[in-house]
Amino acid sequence: MGKGVAKFGGKSGILPLPRQIFKQPIKPLKIEHNPNIGYAPDVKHPRGSTREPIYPKVVPVEERIVKTIAAPKRNFTEEEFGKLPIAQQWKLKNSALRRDYLKDSYWKEAKRLELKEAREEEAKKKLEEEIKKAQQYEESTASKLTLPSVEQYLKGPIMRQRTEAETKELQAKRKLNLLNHELRLKEKKAADLLELYNASTQFIITEEQLADAVSKAFDTNSSYSSAFSTTQTFKSLSSTSNSRVSVGNDIDTAIANALLGRVNGGPDLNDVKDTLHGETYKLVEEAGKNFSEMLQKDQQKYEKKYKDN
Amino acid sequence: MSLVHLANVCAHLQNCSRVNLPLAHIPLTRLHLQVALGLYKHGFIKSIQKGSTLGPDLVPTEVTPDNISSRRLWLGLKYKNSKPVLNKISLVSKPNRRLFLDKEEIRALSGGSSVRVIKPLQPGEIIFIRTLNKDLVDLQDAAERHLGGEVVCRAR
């Protein structure tokens, strides 16, 4: 804060604020209850303090006058007053004058405060009115005539929300997509499983099969087996697997599989599905029936021919 | 999030006007439209058109949840003597430093004094205030109408 003039921001000649004549309010205060101040219902207040704030006691002007400017205990008549010594007379006169002045100043201060309050009230009302008037804002004619569409656009919602029917349609579409995706996944899984199942016929699961496969792989068709010949065979095997012949074979197998509807030499997924649903059985039955009918017809034909001859 | 988008829009408009483009497009949101309208009213831009990412609309198109992501506002930029009218546009209130002023502070700012980190208005400059009911007004308007709010952006 500083000392001397530093206390007043470096400015000298600033008079102190005049002392208040009425330290207590002279009329009841308008206290608005603030819900954000005080203690919550379930919170205890500290011992020695009060739960509610203590407001200053109201001392009306009349009460103050009675308390501070008490009338003299003894009233002198004019005759008695004349008999008093001069100094005493002046003392009494001064006291009466001081009492009158103090009383007068109290009433004047009360009047000033009232006037000040009225003036503040009026200013507040005026400002409120001004704000209210300013908030009833009307756009200029120019902007009204030139920018109606954009202003109107800003008043309503920018985007039209989906209607109930559109929402339902979207939900149905999403559900369909999900189901399609799931179906595709399941089909792929089933096809992979089938491929694995068909390939499992080639798997080596016994010792004999392993020995057989090893001997087949290293078979040199020669009576002697030397390190040289083994290496040769190994080289030839590896070169064959990388050659075009092998690729050609792969392609041939793939084409054959695709034409015959087979996977790894076994039935493909459609075949399995048909079998499971009884389609193949029906087809075989129908073919058998047709075949027997055809045989019967042929037999009848031959019999007729034989009879005619 | 909206202030982040507005920051992008401000930078985009500034960049477009610095390379003398005739049109600039910004995403269609209420705040962007309000800012664009404010700039138009104060003569910083030439035109506002609704459109999509492909260009301004030739036929009126409804904004729906299906096409909102591609909807754009096409703003016609203004130039005078081969110099852009919109020299600078930037955010004042930022996502990590929001600036809400009450009506007294708004009046002080419009009166020519600095308020917090906001420097007073320069000649030919405009500051946009977003009021509590989400209207966008310029600083002088807000001061006249005793309104408080968030100081969104300033342009000159």
Side-chain angles (χ1 to χ4, degrees):
Chain A
M1 195 171 173
K3 270 181 177 178
V5 288
K7 229 196 261 186
F8 305 100
K11 288 174 194 165
S12 65
I14 291 178
L15 293 171
L17 284 174
R19 190 170 62 89
Q20 277 184 328
I21 291 175
F22 299 129
K23 282 183 183 169
Q24 283 102 352
I26 54 169
K27 60 180 185 179
L29 296 167
K30 285 178 204 163
I31 295 159
E32 282 173 17
H33 175 67
N34 188 347
N36 296 324
I37 291 177
Y39 296 96
D42 49 347
V43 175
K44 284 183 179 174
H45 60 274
R47 200 166 41 188
S49 69
T50 56
R51 195 160 187 88
E52 297 298 328
I54 301 169
Y55 296 109
K57 198 188 160 196
V58 178
V59 183
V61 184
E62 294 88 351
E63 198 184 319
R64 181 174 288 274
I65 288 171
V66 169
K67 274 185 182 170
T68 54
I69 316 168
K73 281 172 192 167
R74 193 177 161 189
N75 279 327
F76 294 99
T77 57
E78 269 189 38
E79 203 179 319
E80 281 170 344
F81 189 74
K83 282 178 187 170
L84 289 173
I86 301 293
Q88 182 69 17
Q89 280 181 15
W90 274 111
K91 213 175 174 183
L92 287 172
K93 271 183 191 171
N94 273 343
S95 303
L97 211 59
R98 281 199 191 112
R99 276 199 298 275
D100 283 348
Y101 280 153
L102 188 57
K103 218 185 279 180
D104 205 29
S105 71
Y106 277 169
W107 284 117
K108 269 189 181 166
E109 176 65 8
K111 209 174 172 184
R112 190 187 71 84
L113 287 178
E114 227 168 76
L115 206 67
K116 192 183 159 198
E117 202 179 315
R119 233 182 272 143
E120 277 173 359
E121 195 77 23
E122 202 179 323
K124 202 176 160 191
K125 217 181 254 177
K126 204 176 165 188
L127 186 70
E128 267 172 19
E129 262 175 31
E130 213 173 86
I131 291 171
K132 212 175 170 186
K133 206 176 165 188
Q135 275 168 354
Q136 287 167 348
Y137 174 76
E138 273 210 14
E139 288 213 4
S140 67
T141 330
S143 80
K144 263 186 193 170
L145 292 174
T146 52
L147 297 165
S149 56
V150 185
E151 293 284 347
Q152 207 60 34
Y153 188 55
L154 274 171
K155 272 177 198 164
I158 296 274
M159 183 181 71
R160 179 183 68 76
Q161 294 298 333
R162 281 194 185 99
T163 58
E164 212 169 296
E166 280 174 342
T167 318
K168 272 184 186 169
E169 193 189 325
L170 187 73
Q171 278 170 354
K173 220 186 258 178
R174 282 180 181 166
K175 205 174 174 184
L176 182 71
N177 273 343
L178 182 72
L179 289 176
N180 258 335
H181 180 67
E182 278 176 0
L183 181 69
R184 248 181 281 130
L185 275 183
K186 275 180 186 169
E187 269 186 356
K188 195 180 175 296
K189 223 174 171 182
D192 288 349
L193 186 65
L194 194 67
E195 201 180 330
L196 184 68
Y197 178 75
N198 289 338
S200 69
T201 53
Q202 310 288 327
F203 290 175
I204 296 164
I205 46 171
T206 58
E207 248 178 71
E208 291 80 36
Q209 281 174 340
L210 181 66
D212 205 27
V214 169
S215 64
K216 216 185 254 177
F218 292 96
D219 189 17
T220 53
N221 289 328
S222 59
S223 54
Y224 61 94
S225 61
S226 64
F228 171 73
S229 65
T230 311
T231 324
Q232 283 283 73
T233 321
F234 208 70
K235 270 182 187 170
S236 67
L237 265 176
S238 57
S239 63
T240 331
S241 66
N242 288 332
S243 68
R244 281 182 189 174
V245 179
S246 157
V247 174
N249 279 342
D250 285 353
I251 293 168
D252 286 348
T253 323
I255 291 170
N257 278 344
L259 282 173
L260 297 169
R262 303 182 82 75
V263 177
N264 279 348
D268 73 343
L269 190 62
N270 289 334
D271 282 348
V272 175
K273 264 190 207 168
D274 287 348
T275 312
L276 284 176
H277 295 144
E279 291 291 326
T280 316
Y281 179 71
K282 270 184 207 167
L283 206 70
V284 169
E285 209 174 48
E286 208 172 311
K289 213 173 160 185
N290 286 345
F291 186 66
S292 61
E293 269 176 19
M294 206 173 73
L295 276 178
Q296 231 170 13
K297 267 182 195 173
D298 281 351
Q299 206 176 355
Q300 278 171 4
K301 217 171 156 185
Y302 280 119
E303 272 175 10
K304 207 179 171 187
K305 220 177 185 181
Y306 182 72
K307 271 179 190 173
D308 288 346
N309 287 336
Chain B
M1 215 38 206
S2 62
L3 273 188
V4 176
H5 292 154
L6 187 65
N8 292 341
V9 163
C10 289
H12 181 61
L13 288 181
Q14 204 173 282
N15 291 341
C16 286
S17 57
R18 280 180 188 179
V19 292
N20 301 334
L21 290 184
L23 282 174
H25 68 92
I26 59 174
L28 171 64
T29 66
R30 186 177 292 275
L31 182 63
H32 294 172
L33 185 59
Q34 284 170 331
V35 170
L37 190 63
L39 289 174
Y40 178 76
K41 275 183 185 170
H42 288 86
F44 282 101
I45 55 173
K46 207 161 54 180
S47 61
I48 305 171
Q49 275 173 291
K50 283 204 293 176
S52 68
T53 41
L54 304 171
D57 280 345
L58 299 174
V59 283
T61 312
E62 200 177 28
V63 183
T64 60
D66 300 317
N67 69 359
I68 183 75
S69 57
S70 63
R71 292 273 88 199
R72 290 288 183 278
L73 280 174
W74 286 81
L75 310 181
L77 301 177
K78 239 185 192 179
Y79 300 93
K80 200 176 177 186
N81 298 333
S82 317
K83 280 182 183 169
V85 173
L86 185 69
N87 282 309
K88 190 177 162 67
I89 176 165
S90 57
L91 283 192
V92 178
S93 186
K94 294 177 184 183
N96 67 345
R97 193 198 58 193
R98 297 268 181 174
L99 283 164
F100 291 93
L101 303 190
D102 60 21
K103 53 189 176 186
E104 304 305 328
E105 286 170 320
I106 293 270
R107 282 175 87 84
L109 186 63
S110 77
S113 46
S114 295
V115 174
R116 288 187 242 166
V117 290
I118 311 170
K119 294 272 174 283
L121 268 183
Q122 297 301 309
E125 194 175 31
I126 183 169
I127 291 182
F128 290 117
I129 312 284
R130 184 159 56 168
T131 60
L132 289 178
N133 53 2
K134 301 285 172 195
D135 277 341
L136 198 81
V137 289
D138 70 291
L139 181 69
Q140 303 298 352
D141 240 11
E144 267 174 35
R145 290 159 65 184
H146 298 269
L147 296 171
E150 187 178 7
V151 187
V152 178
C153 63
R154 63 196 300 165
R156 65 178 156 82

